[in-house]
Amino acid sequence: MEDLSAVSRRMVKFGDLEGELREVFVDDTVGSRAASSREDETVEDDDNGAGRAHQPGGGGGGGGSGGGGGSIFRRWMWKCEDMALEAAEEMEDACTWVVRVCGRVFVAFALGLIVSGASILFVDLLPTFSATQALFAVPPSLFLVFGALHNYLAAVFTSPGYPPSDYHITESQLNDMHQRRKRGQPVRDRVCRSCCIIKPPRAHHCKICNRCVLAMDHHCPWVGNCVGYRNHRYFLLFLIHVTLLCLLGACLSFNTFWEAANLQNDFSFGYSGRGGAIYVFLLSASISFGVGLLCIWQLYLVLTGQTTIEFYSNSDLQETAERIGSTFVNQYDLGAARNFEHFFGFAWTNLRWFIPMCGQTTGDGLSFPTTTYQPSAVTSSTTLLV
C-alpha cells in the first residue's frame, strides 16, 4: 500500500485553475469551473497563434487527417463545454441578483404566512373549542407562535458573524502567499481573495452578501440573510417552533377542516369560516412537511458537527480517504451530546435550550474545539489535490 505520509504530503497541495489556487471547501468552488483532466494531450500554437490540442505523436505524416479530425472534434467539445459553463455562470449570477434584491420580499411573505395562519387559528377556530379543549390548545399555541416569530426575526436581523478587522491583509501579502503556494511552499492560512482576509476555520465567502461569514451554513432567501455562527441557533429554533406549531395547527383544525371540506354539511362558520378552516389546515400540513424535513436535516448536521457546506466537502474527503485506504475524521464532531451543547448552549436534558431568549452558541466563531484523531487520518481540514 502507498505510504500514507507521502499521500498526505501530496494531498496538502492545491491544484491550479486559471492561475488561481482552489480549495476543496465548497464556498470557494461553487460556481467555479471544474478542471478537466487532459493529461494525455499537449497544446501548441498553430500558424494563427491559437492553441491546438493533439494527441502526442498524432500530428505527423500519415496520421494528419485522422488526428486533425479528432483535434477539431475535441476543440468543438471544449467550446460546447465553455458555452455551457458560461450559461450556468450567467444563470447563477441572475439568481444571486434576484435573491439579493428580493430578500426582504421573501421575509415579508414568510411573516405574512405565519401571522395569517395564527390569526385564523386564534380568531376563527379556537373560539369554537370547549373550555377544556382551549385550556390544552391555547397555551402551547401562544408559546410556539411567540417562539417562531422571535427566532425568525432574530435570524433575520442578527449578524451571522464576520471575521474581525485584524484578519484583513494587504494586497501585497495576499500576492506573496499566492506566489508561495504556486512555488509549492507550505502556506497554512486559508485566504479569501475577494475580501483580502485570512479566513478563520469554517468561515466561507458568500457571493450574495459578498462577505466572508463565520461558520457559514448557507444563505437563506427566506430570512434575507446568511445563516452563520451567530444566528444559526435562531434559525434552527425557528424551524423547530414552526414545525411544532404547524403540526399542532393541523391537528387542531383537522376536524373543522373535514367538516368544512364536505360542502353538503351545514357549516356553522359560513363561507368565510369554511375557507379559513381549509386554509389553516392546508397551510399547516404543507409547511409542517416541508419545514419539518429541513429541520430534521439541520438537526442531523448539528449532531454530527457539520454545516451544510462542510457536509459536501466532508463527503468528498471521505471518498478520497476510502480510495487511499485511510480513515476520514471530522475533527469538529465531538459526539452528539457535546455537539448539541456547543450549538445550543445547554445540554439536551436542560429544556432551557428550547426557550427563545435563553442560551447561545459557545465560543467566538474564530476557533472551535476539535476531537483527537490519528496522525495518518484524513481530517475535515485536509485539502486535496484536485
Side-chain angles (χ1 to χ4, degrees):
M1 183 177 294
E2 190 174 4
D3 181 31
L4 289 178
S5 62
V7 172
S8 299
R9 285 194 299 270
R10 191 171 65 251
M11 291 171 62
V12 169
K13 295 190 177 183
F14 292 92
D16 189 26
L17 177 62
E18 297 178 357
E20 294 190 2
L21 298 170
R22 296 190 304 156
E23 294 178 335
V24 171
F25 296 103
V26 174
D27 68 314
D28 295 324
T29 58
V30 170
S32 64
R33 289 186 174 184
S36 301
S37 176
R38 297 165 180 161
E39 298 174 354
D40 59 337
E41 299 171 347
T42 60
V43 178
E44 65 180 12
D45 292 336
D46 60 10
D47 294 338
N48 296 323
R52 181 183 302 276
H54 64 87
Q55 293 287 346
S65 175
S71 177
I72 293 174
F73 176 75
R74 281 192 298 274
R75 289 201 303 274
W76 179 79
M77 289 295 293
W78 294 344
K79 182 66 175 178
C80 292
E81 179 185 358
D82 291 339
M83 292 173 63
L85 289 172
E86 289 175 1
E89 290 173 357
E90 290 178 359
M91 183 176 296
E92 181 185 6
D93 292 339
C95 292
T96 298
W97 181 85
V98 170
V99 172
R100 183 180 296 150
V101 172
C102 300
R104 298 308 178 192
V105 176
F106 291 133
V107 171
F109 181 73
L111 284 174
L113 290 178
I114 298 173
V115 173
S116 62
S119 299
I120 296 176
L121 177 65
F122 284 108
V123 174
D124 291 339
L125 299 183
L126 288 181
T128 65
F129 288 10
S130 66
T132 304
Q133 291 174 326
L135 181 63
F136 287 97
V138 172
S141 299
L142 288 173
F143 174 80
L144 291 174
V145 168
F146 172 76
L149 289 174
H150 176 275
N151 287 302
Y152 182 73
L153 294 175
V156 170
F157 294 108
T158 301
S159 168
Y162 305 110
S165 58
D166 56 350
Y167 275 70
H168 285 262
I169 57 177
T170 63
E171 187 69 27
S172 60
Q173 290 174 311
L174 183 64
N175 292 332
D176 179 64
M177 297 175 69
H178 178 63
Q179 294 300 324
R180 281 191 288 153
R181 273 183 173 164
K182 290 185 68 173
R183 292 193 297 267
Q185 298 176 356
V187 179
R188 297 184 60 184
D189 293 324
R190 300 167 56 234
V191 297
C192 176
R193 297 186 67 87
S194 299
C195 300
C196 275
I197 65 166
I198 296 176
K199 290 197 290 188
R202 312 182 78 176
H204 301 280
H205 185 83
C206 175
K207 292 183 64 177
I208 298 175
C209 298
N210 198 28
R211 296 187 68 176
C212 283
V213 177
L214 298 178
M216 179 181 172
D217 187 83
H218 68 289
H219 185 98
C220 180
W222 293 105
V223 300
N225 197 4
C226 268
V227 177
Y229 172 76
R230 301 195 184 280
N231 65 347
H232 196 173
R233 175 181 172 275
Y234 294 124
F235 177 77
L236 181 50
L237 282 176
F238 163 71
L239 297 181
I240 295 174
H241 282 79
V242 164
T243 301
L244 295 177
L245 176 63
C246 289
L247 288 174
L248 179 61
C251 293
L252 294 177
S253 62
F254 177 75
N255 289 334
T256 310
F257 161 77
W258 188 257
E259 182 183 353
N262 189 348
L263 299 179
Q264 296 179 352
N265 291 339
D266 183 16
F267 191 61
S268 59
F269 282 11
Y271 183 80
S272 61
R274 187 191 304 274
I278 295 175
Y279 173 78
V280 168
F281 177 79
L282 293 180
L283 179 68
S284 299
S286 57
I287 291 181
S288 63
F289 177 76
V291 176
L293 291 178
L294 179 59
C295 180
I296 293 173
W297 166 249
Q298 285 287 319
L299 281 173
Y300 165 77
L301 294 176
V302 168
L303 295 178
T304 54
Q306 304 178 89
T307 63
T308 300
I309 292 175
E310 290 170 348
F311 172 81
Y312 293 105
S313 60
N314 288 347
S315 298
D316 292 338
L317 288 168
Q318 186 166 4
E319 292 179 2
T320 301
E322 293 174 354
R323 188 166 61 248
I324 66 176
S326 184
T327 303
F328 170 76
V329 175
N330 176 15
Q331 62 175 340
Y332 301 115
D333 185 2
L334 309 176
R338 290 185 61 191
N339 291 336
F340 187 97
E341 184 174 358
H342 166 72
F343 185 85
F344 287 101
F346 295 103
W348 67 272
T349 54
N350 189 338
L351 294 182
R352 283 189 295 172
W353 68 266
F354 189 66
I355 300 176
M357 289 79 67
C358 295
Q360 62 181 2
T361 304
T362 60
D364 57 4
L366 301 175
S367 60
F368 298 86
T370 58
T371 186
T372 56
Y373 56 89
Q374 296 297 326
S376 61
V378 177
T379 70
S380 51
S381 62
T382 305
T383 54
L384 302 178
L385 179 61
V386 291

